[in-house]
């Protein structure tokens, strides 16, 4: 590029030394007195920055600015230490209550001078072990690290070419400063946000930042309005994007956290963590249980002091026992393990969970706000329609894969018949008037484009017709190229064929090329282009555009004698039209239909154009009658209140910025929706973080999006979301099952401990006994319920009401009913036993086994809240059977092993005692079956 250089096409700008001397810079800013840097007069901007458009800064000035403004990198995010993360696991009301119970048990242990360490401090040791185990489970559960900003750092270009002191040099990207001149060419990663000073056929790839799938054309001289969205700022280049073709010189306006990429980083930091519905419900649930157990423990302790006659440490131990009985200690651990098992099942289906509660949250989603590019679509420009020789050809085959076929009008078989001449000419020109090339990944076998996506689509098109450039190019010698630019709106490549003829291959916009055409290639040969032909071609082009296809015209001119470049693009022969788009992913249409059946509203949020986005929405079945589309510019004029009012009717959000995506997600949340946000670009990251659950693409997505998300689709398949929703709903149902199981079993313990404690002579269950029942014997059946097979009708039901708790009124009545039966059976043992000390101690051992074995029978009734345990499908759940058998065997160890009897205070029971124990333990099954039958009859009558 010359010192004067070109801006746009053919425009020459005088050297900047004649206009703005390189003086000490003012602080870099995104706006001057004339508005934002992209709308500011270039001369005024250069003067304000103390910059030169030709020589650049000198080294001394660059060093001074680096010292003043700092390195061109994002600030390091605050990181939590491993120790702090571990300690945070104890900041839970239930865990703090257990710690208090352990402390009391330690005090009681010191007052008891009988027995060994295990006898005196066994209860405290057991409680502490449970608390520590739960803390470590929670520690490893937190997989969502504060790494989004680290990923943004990785996106920064490692080096940059700058002009300093009149010479071009390569420096570290973090050392560039405001006022530096960037020298850009194809393949360069852009080091900082910069205003273009000179451009030659420049195009950049900005999909990760703006969401737009096509290369963005840039022009240093193009006027840009103050309210232009990010994707329309054609005189700017941005950090984190790359140059796909052309050359340019640009003056850096902003570095570090002030760049557009940096602003997204700030938004990610400001959003923070959003609690999932499951986390909120479990927290509320835990607080409720905590309040209830504290009240009951206080009542029991007060009653003991009023009654008198017993040492204070015994009363405290009873209160601790009651607290331990009321708190479902296994709930956090079993919930975590159930979610982890669900995570493994989802991983096998291609969905990687980064935060465990996200497994369940997706099942509660009422809105899926999906990015278009790379999520609903392939992010690969593909030619869908070719019009040539008066015929349309539908093109099959995905993306840049050169394998595919044409489906023409008529009876022609393109696989066996010779291609029609107009189609041959069209495909040959598509292959030759092209600077891109296709590559196949050796591992994935996936084809990708090196160069402009539009040209990649044309290469793939030619290859599908067996006219790949590798087969066409040998018979054509390259002579000259007239590159594409935004003024001419066309590109020409001149080649010499084997007959010595020079052929100009031209591609460009229809409105520019059609007036230059005088001939028409048809199946019967080349003839003159009539006015009727022009009207037909224009009509076809408009039809294609109405289908959101990007339309290009392909022409050529054969000449035998040399002429000047300036007149080669005249008297052209019209070959055909190609219509291309970024097509929908396979399976997306079916996934959208399934979401509709499940009562989930899917909306599209994209940086692409409104017409294109709406057409894709209609093609995949996303668009319903009465739906509306809105652009980012229209959205910017709306207040948050206005957006919240209209958001239920909006289906497509086009040309949106990262900040606007945040507003959209917040608007849906304000309407009470559980929002799942999918995306793959840098610009999606803040909204991913703000949503209840962020879903990122694993293959085509950016590091930033993946790190900000809760769920990553390893196969980039939108249809995987449907399976994730199904799995999430199934997991929530199973969580409800095992919570009902645990609480109803705990209620039996609570009733027994509370009632027995009111009778001074009756020895209550010890905290160790209660923990053994809660965790050892109840834990495995609860886990088995957590992996029960899903109901096949789950995806035909609407999402659950977010205002509902984990359990409803019917569930709480069931907990009282079942707990009352279990507790009453245990109390009955005390009532019927001999009232001497030995008899009562043996009765306590019997009650211990009764309350340990009764839940193993009850677990089979918990598989369905309505259906009989004998009508469940399958009738016998193998995981539940194995869990109950294992729990029973573990409990028998505590009873039958002589060395463990002193620890658990059990004894060798007689056969009659075993018979009574089993009958009372199984009593809960017929009792629950009767209650279910009554409930079904009431439901049938009121239906």
């Amino acid at each position: 590029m010359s010192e004067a250089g070109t801006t746009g096409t053919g425009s020459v700008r005088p050297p900047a030394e004649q206009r703005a001397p390189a003086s000490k810079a003012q602080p870099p800013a995104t706006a001057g007195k004339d508005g934002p840097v992209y709308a500011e007069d270039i001369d005024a901007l250069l003067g304000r920055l103390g910059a030169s458009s030709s020589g650049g800064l000198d080294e001394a000035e660059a060093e001074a600015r680096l010292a003043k403004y700092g390195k061109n990198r994002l600030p390091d995010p605050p990181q939590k230490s491993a120790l702090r993360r571990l300690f945070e696991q104890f900041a839970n009301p239930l865990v703090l209550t257990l710690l208090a119970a352990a402390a009391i048990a330690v005090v009681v242990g010191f007052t008891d001078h009988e027995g060994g360490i295990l006898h005196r401090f066994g209860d405290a040791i057991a409680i502490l072990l449970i608390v520590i185990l739960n803390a470590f489970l929670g520690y490893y559960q937190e997989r969502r690290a504060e790494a989004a900003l680290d990923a943004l750092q990785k996106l920064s270009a490692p080096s940059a070419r700058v002009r300093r002191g009149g010479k071009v040099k390569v420096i570290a990207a973090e050392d560039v400063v405001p006022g530096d001149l960037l020298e850009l060419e194809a393949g360069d990663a852009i080091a900082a946000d910069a205003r273009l000073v000179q451009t030659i056929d420049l195009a950049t790839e900005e999909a990760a930042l703006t969401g737009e799938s096509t290369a963005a054309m840039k022009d240093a001289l193009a006027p840009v309005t103050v309210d232009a969205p990010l994707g329309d700022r054609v005189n700017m280049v941005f950090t984190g994007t790359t140059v796909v073709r052309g050359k340019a010189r640009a003056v850096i306006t902003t570095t570090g956290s002030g760049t557009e990429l940096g602003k997204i980083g700030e938004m990610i930091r400001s959003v923070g963590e959003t609690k999932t519905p499951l986390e909120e419900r479990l927290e509320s649930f835990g607080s409720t249980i905590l309040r209830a157990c504290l009240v009951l423990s206080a009542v029991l302790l007060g009653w003991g002091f009023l009654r008198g006659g017993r040492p204070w440490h015994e009363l405290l131990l009873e209160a601790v026992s009651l607290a331990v009985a009321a708190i479902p200690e296994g709930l956090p651990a079993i919930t975590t393990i159930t979610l982890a098992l669900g995570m493994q099942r989802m991983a096998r289906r291609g969905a990687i969970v980064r935060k465990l509660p996200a497994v369940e949250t997706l099942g509660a989603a009422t809105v899926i706000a999906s990015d278009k590019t790379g999520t609903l679509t392939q992010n690969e420009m593909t030619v869908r329609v070719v019009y040539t020789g008066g015929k349309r050809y539908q093109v099959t085959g995905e993306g840049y894969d050169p394998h595919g076929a044409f489906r023409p009008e008529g009876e022609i078989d393109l696989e066996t018949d010779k291609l029609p001449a107009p189609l041959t000419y069209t495909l040959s020109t598509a292959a030759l008037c092209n600077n891109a090339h296709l590559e196949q990944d050796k591992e994935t076998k996936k084809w990708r484009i090196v160069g402009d996506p539009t040209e990649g689509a044309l290469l793939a098109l030619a290859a599908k017709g067996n006219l790949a450039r590798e087969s066409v190019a040998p018979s054509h010698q390259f002579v000259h190229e007239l590159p594409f630019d935004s003024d001419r709106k066309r590109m020409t490549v001149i080649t010499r064929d084997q007959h010595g003829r020079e052929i100009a291959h031209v591609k460009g916009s229809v409105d520019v090329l059609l007036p230059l055409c005088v001939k028409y290639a048809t199946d019967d040969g080349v003839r003159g282009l009539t006015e009727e032909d022009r009207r037909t071609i224009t009509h076809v082009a408009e039809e294609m555009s109405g289908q959101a296809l990007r339309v290009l015209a392909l022409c050529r001119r054969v000449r035998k004698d040399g002429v000047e470049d300036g007149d080669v693009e005249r008297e052209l022969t019209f070959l055909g039209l190609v219509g291309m788009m970024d097509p929908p992913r396979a399976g997306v249409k079916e996934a959208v239909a399934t979401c509709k059946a499940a009562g989930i509203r899917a909306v599209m949020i994209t940086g692409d154009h409104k017409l294109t986005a709406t057409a894709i929405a209609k093609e995949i079945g996303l668009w319903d009658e009465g739906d509306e589309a809105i652009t980012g510019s229209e959205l910017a004029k709306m207040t948050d209140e206005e957006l919240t009012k209209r958001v239920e009717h909006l289906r497509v959000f086009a040309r949106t910025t990262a900040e606007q995506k945040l507003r959209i997600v917040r608007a849906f949340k304000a309407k009470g929706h559980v929002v799942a946000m999918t995306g793959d670009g840098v610009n999606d990251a803040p909204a991913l973080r703000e949503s209840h659950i962020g879903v990122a693409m694993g293959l085509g997505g950016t590091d930033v999006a993946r790190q900000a998300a809760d769920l990553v689709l390893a196969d980039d398949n939108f249809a995987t979301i449907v399976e994730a929703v199904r799995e999430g709903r199934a997991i929530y149902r199973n969580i409800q099952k095992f919570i009902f199981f645990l609480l109803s079993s705990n209620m039996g313990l609570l009733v027994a401990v509370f009632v027995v404690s009111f009778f001074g002579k009756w020895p209550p269950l010890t905290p160790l006994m209660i923990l053994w029942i809660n965790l050892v014997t109840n834990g495995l059946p609860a886990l088995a319920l957590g992996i029960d097979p899903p109901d096949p009708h789950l995806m035909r039901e609407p999402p659950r009401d977010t205002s509902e708790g984990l359990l409803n009124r019917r569930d709480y009545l069931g907990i009282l009913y079942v707990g009352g039966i279990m507790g009453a059976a245990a109390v009955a043992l005390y009532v019927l036993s001999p009232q001497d000390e030995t008899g009562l101690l043996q009765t306590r051992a019997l009650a211990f086994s009764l309350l340990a074995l009764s839940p193993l029978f009850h677990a089979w009734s918990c598989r369905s809240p309505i259906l009989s345990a004998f009508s469940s499908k399958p009738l016998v759940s193998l995981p539940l059977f194995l869990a109950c058998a294992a729990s029973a065997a573990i409990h028998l160890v505590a009873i039958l092993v002589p060395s463990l009897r002193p620890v658990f205070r059990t004894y060798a029971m007689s056969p009659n005692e075993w018979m009574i124990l089993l009958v009372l333990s199984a009593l809960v099954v017929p009792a629950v079956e009767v209650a279910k039958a009554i409930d079904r009859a009431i439901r049938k009558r009121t239906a």
Side-chain angles (χ1 to χ4, degrees):
M1 186 179 294
S2 67
E3 287 298 310
T6 60
T7 55
T9 301
S11 300
V12 179
R13 180 181 300 279
E17 285 81 3
Q18 300 173 13
R19 307 184 314 275
S23 59
K24 185 173 177 59
Q26 300 172 23
T30 57
K33 65 178 183 178
D34 296 327
V37 291
Y38 53 84
E40 191 174 357
D41 177 76
I42 186 62
D43 293 336
L45 175 64
L46 289 168
R48 185 166 62 83
L49 291 174
S52 163
S53 66
S54 58
L57 302 174
D58 58 46
E59 288 295 342
E61 178 63 19
E63 289 294 331
R65 294 189 184 197
L66 185 62
K68 183 175 182 179
Y69 304 127
K71 295 281 189 179
N72 175 38
R73 60 188 180 199
L74 300 175
D76 294 328
Q79 296 289 341
K80 293 180 183 177
S81 67
L83 192 60
R84 181 181 173 186
R85 288 184 182 277
L86 183 60
F87 278 128
E88 284 180 349
Q89 306 306 315
F90 296 94
N92 178 289
L94 293 182
V95 173
L96 291 174
T97 304
L98 286 176
L99 286 174
I104 293 171
V106 169
V107 172
V108 172
F110 278 115
T111 61
D112 185 1
H113 301 291
E114 299 178 3
I117 295 294
L118 191 60
H119 176 82
R120 294 166 59 194
F121 298 102
D123 294 335
I125 292 170
I127 295 172
L128 287 173
L129 285 175
I130 297 306
V131 169
I132 292 170
L133 173 64
N134 187 66
F136 275 101
L137 280 172
Y139 175 80
Y140 287 109
Q141 172 194 339
E142 288 192 354
R143 296 180 178 273
R144 185 200 225 168
E146 293 292 333
L149 295 175
D150 289 340
L152 283 170
Q153 294 272 36
K154 294 175 185 177
L155 278 183
S156 300
S159 62
R161 278 195 315 279
V162 298
R163 185 175 290 272
R164 286 185 177 173
K167 296 180 180 179
V168 175
K169 59 186 299 186
V170 177
I171 64 172
E174 64 178 16
D175 291 334
V176 301
V177 296
D180 259 331
L181 279 184
L182 289 176
E183 296 287 346
L184 303 172
E185 61 184 39
D188 286 351
I190 296 166
D193 288 6
R195 172 74 179 269
L196 292 165
V197 179
Q198 304 167 359
T199 52
I200 299 177
D201 187 29
L202 183 70
T204 60
E205 196 279 313
E206 298 180 347
L209 193 61
T210 66
E212 191 163 356
S213 53
T214 57
M217 292 298 302
K218 299 293 183 176
D219 187 348
L221 289 182
V224 178
T225 59
V226 172
D227 61 348
L230 192 65
D232 291 343
R233 299 171 194 172
V234 296
N235 60 2
M236 295 286 295
V237 288
F238 305 102
T239 314
T241 64
T242 55
V243 179
V244 295
R245 71 165 182 265
K247 295 182 179 181
R249 182 176 296 167
V251 60
I252 293 178
T253 58
T254 319
T255 58
S257 58
T259 63
E260 294 296 331
L261 196 66
K263 291 175 185 176
I264 293 174
E266 290 295 329
M267 279 190 278
I268 294 173
R269 187 185 293 110
S270 66
V271 168
E273 298 285 339
T274 300
K275 288 186 177 179
T276 67
L278 179 61
E279 288 174 316
E280 291 173 349
R281 285 188 175 117
L282 286 175
E283 186 175 289
S284 172
F285 194 60
S287 298
T288 302
I289 292 175
L290 175 60
R291 288 192 294 269
C293 92
L294 289 177
V295 169
L296 290 172
S297 296
V299 169
L300 188 62
L301 190 63
W303 169 254
F305 279 120
L306 287 174
R307 188 176 56 184
R310 296 179 63 192
W312 66 269
H313 59 82
E314 287 187 10
L315 296 177
L316 271 179
L317 189 60
E318 282 187 358
V320 169
S321 298
L322 186 68
V324 172
I327 297 173
E329 291 84 3
L331 180 60
I334 294 171
T335 302
T336 297
I337 294 170
T338 300
L339 291 173
L341 292 173
M343 178 187 73
Q344 293 173 7
R345 290 194 299 272
M346 292 174 75
R348 288 194 290 270
R349 294 188 173 110
I352 301 168
V353 179
R354 298 191 62 252
K355 189 179 181 186
L356 290 182
V359 179
E360 173 275 335
T361 310
L362 191 58
T366 57
V367 169
I368 296 180
S370 176
D371 182 50
K372 180 185 74 69
T373 305
T375 306
L376 295 171
T377 63
Q378 300 172 19
N379 197 19
E380 295 181 355
M381 290 299 291
T382 305
V383 175
R384 304 287 292 271
V385 180
V386 176
Y387 176 79
T388 181
K391 294 189 178 71
R392 291 176 189 258
Y393 298 85
Q394 299 293 329
V395 185
T396 64
E398 293 190 2
Y400 301 128
D401 191 335
H403 302 95
F406 294 81
R407 293 177 181 170
E409 297 174 346
E411 300 299 324
I412 186 171
D413 183 353
L414 292 179
E415 294 185 1
T416 57
D417 295 352
K418 184 179 179 181
L419 292 180
L423 184 56
T424 301
Y425 295 150
T426 301
L427 299 186
S428 297
T429 291
L432 293 170
C433 189
N434 207 308
N435 287 324
H437 65 276
L438 298 174
E439 289 182 351
Q440 188 175 29
D441 189 284
K442 293 181 180 179
E443 295 183 0
T444 65
K445 303 302 180 183
K446 184 177 176 65
W447 291 86
R448 61 187 180 89
I449 180 66
V450 179
D452 186 273
T454 298
E455 295 193 334
L458 293 175
L459 280 184
L461 170 70
K464 289 170 185 175
N466 296 319
L467 287 171
R469 185 164 58 189
E470 292 74 15
S471 64
V472 177
S475 60
H476 288 265
Q477 178 185 355
F478 176 82
V479 176
H480 188 57
E481 176 184 333
L482 297 175
F484 183 92
D485 65 62
S486 56
D487 289 334
R488 293 170 52 251
K489 295 185 179 178
R490 58 184 179 267
M491 171 185 174
T492 298
V493 170
I494 302 171
T495 63
R496 185 177 292 107
D497 67 9
Q498 65 268 38
H499 304 296
R501 301 180 304 173
E502 286 193 357
I503 304 175
H505 304 274
V506 188
K507 70 167 182 272
S509 64
V510 181
D511 59 328
V512 170
L513 289 191
L514 193 57
L516 302 177
C517 294
V518 296
K519 297 179 182 179
Y520 191 22
T522 68
D523 290 348
D524 299 324
V526 177
R527 61 170 174 79
L529 184 69
T530 67
E531 287 303 316
E532 181 63 27
D533 293 331
R534 293 181 190 276
R535 284 193 292 270
T536 300
I537 293 168
T538 301
H539 177 70
V540 172
E542 289 173 350
E543 278 189 343
M544 289 185 181
S545 296
Q547 298 167 1
L549 296 173
R550 184 184 181 193
V551 184
L552 287 181
L554 296 170
C555 309
R556 74 175 200 163
R557 181 185 179 202
V558 180
R559 59 192 180 95
K560 297 180 180 179
D561 52 344
V563 295
E564 294 298 323
D565 290 344
D567 63 0
V568 72
E569 296 171 333
R570 62 183 178 85
E571 298 179 359
L572 302 176
T573 299
F574 180 83
L575 302 178
L577 303 174
V578 293
M580 63 184 71
M581 71 183 308
D582 180 12
R585 285 184 175 275
V588 165
K589 189 171 184 178
E590 294 77 9
V592 169
T594 304
C595 286
K596 283 187 177 181
I600 301 169
R601 179 176 177 82
V603 300
M604 182 190 294
I605 305 178
T606 178
D608 217 335
H609 293 278
K610 184 175 179 178
L611 179 64
T612 304
T614 303
I616 291 289
K618 291 178 178 177
E619 183 172 350
I620 63 177
L622 195 68
W623 190 271
D624 292 328
E625 187 176 351
D627 284 340
E628 301 173 23
I630 190 172
T631 65
S633 298
E634 294 168 338
L635 189 61
K637 299 174 184 176
M638 297 172 63
T639 64
D640 289 341
E641 292 74 19
E642 290 171 337
L643 175 60
T644 302
K645 288 179 182 178
R646 284 191 59 190
V647 74
E648 298 278 17
H649 303 287
L650 298 173
R651 183 72 70 169
V652 171
F653 302 85
R655 306 297 282 171
T656 52
T657 64
E659 186 178 1
Q660 288 169 342
K661 291 184 179 185
L662 263 181
R663 288 184 63 200
I664 294 164
V665 171
R666 286 169 177 164
F668 277 117
K669 289 173 70 175
K671 297 291 284 188
H673 287 287
V674 176
V675 183
M677 169 75 185
T678 74
D680 60 355
V682 177
N683 59 328
D684 298 323
L688 288 174
R689 191 73 171 268
E690 172 70 20
S691 60
H692 290 101
I693 175 167
V695 184
M697 303 296 114
L699 293 177
T702 60
D703 284 343
V704 182
R706 286 193 290 270
Q707 296 295 345
D710 303 284
L711 187 74
V712 178
L713 302 184
D715 55 3
D716 281 17
N717 190 347
F718 183 83
T720 306
I721 292 180
V722 176
E723 292 304 315
V725 170
R726 190 191 313 274
E727 189 67 47
R729 291 188 175 189
I731 286 172
Y732 189 81
R733 286 280 177 87
N734 289 345
I735 288 174
Q736 288 179 312
K737 291 178 188 177
F738 73 66
I739 286 179
F740 178 82
F741 167 73
L742 287 175
L743 290 186
S744 52
S745 301
N746 269 44
M747 182 57 68
L749 276 171
L750 186 63
V751 169
V753 171
F754 193 74
V755 173
V756 167
S757 297
F758 273 84
F759 295 86
K761 290 180 60 179
W762 293 357
L765 299 184
T766 66
L768 180 59
M769 288 178 171
I770 295 168
L771 283 172
W772 178 265
I773 294 170
N774 276 351
L775 297 168
V776 179
T777 59
N778 289 357
L780 290 177
L783 275 176
L785 288 171
I787 58 172
D788 220 27
D791 186 333
H793 301 294
L794 271 179
M795 293 304 287
R796 299 178 197 168
E797 300 174 5
R800 62 180 179 273
D801 189 348
T802 54
S803 63
E804 289 181 0
L806 278 168
L807 303 176
N808 56 33
R809 180 173 172 272
R810 180 188 175 282
D811 294 325
Y812 285 114
L813 290 174
I815 288 169
L816 292 173
Y817 176 69
V818 172
I821 292 170
M822 290 184 183
V827 171
L829 290 174
Y830 280 94
V831 172
L832 299 175
S833 74
Q835 296 300 301
D836 60 89
E837 183 178 357
T838 302
L840 288 173
L841 289 176
Q842 289 182 346
T843 299
R844 179 174 65 180
L846 278 173
F848 169 47
S849 292
L850 170 67
L851 293 169
L853 296 179
S854 188
L856 304 186
F857 290 94
H858 175 50
W860 295 92
S861 299
C862 294
R863 295 184 66 197
S864 171
I866 300 171
L867 299 177
S868 166
F870 303 102
S871 62
S872 297
K873 300 255 172 98
L875 179 61
V876 177
S877 166
L878 183 59
L880 185 57
F881 174 79
L882 294 175
C884 290
S887 293
I890 292 170
H891 183 70
L892 287 176
V893 170
I895 299 173
L896 301 179
V897 176
S899 60
L900 291 178
R901 286 172 183 165
V903 177
F904 291 98
R905 300 170 192 183
T906 57
Y907 70 101
M909 293 186 292
S910 67
N912 286 339
E913 288 174 324
W914 276 110
M915 184 64 66
I916 293 171
L917 181 65
L918 291 175
V919 170
L920 288 177
S921 297
L923 182 64
V924 68
V925 175
V928 171
E929 287 298 314
V930 169
K932 283 186 177 181
I934 295 172
D935 182 59
R936 287 195 299 271
I938 294 173
R939 285 172 179 265
K940 187 175 182 180
R941 185 176 300 174
T942 57

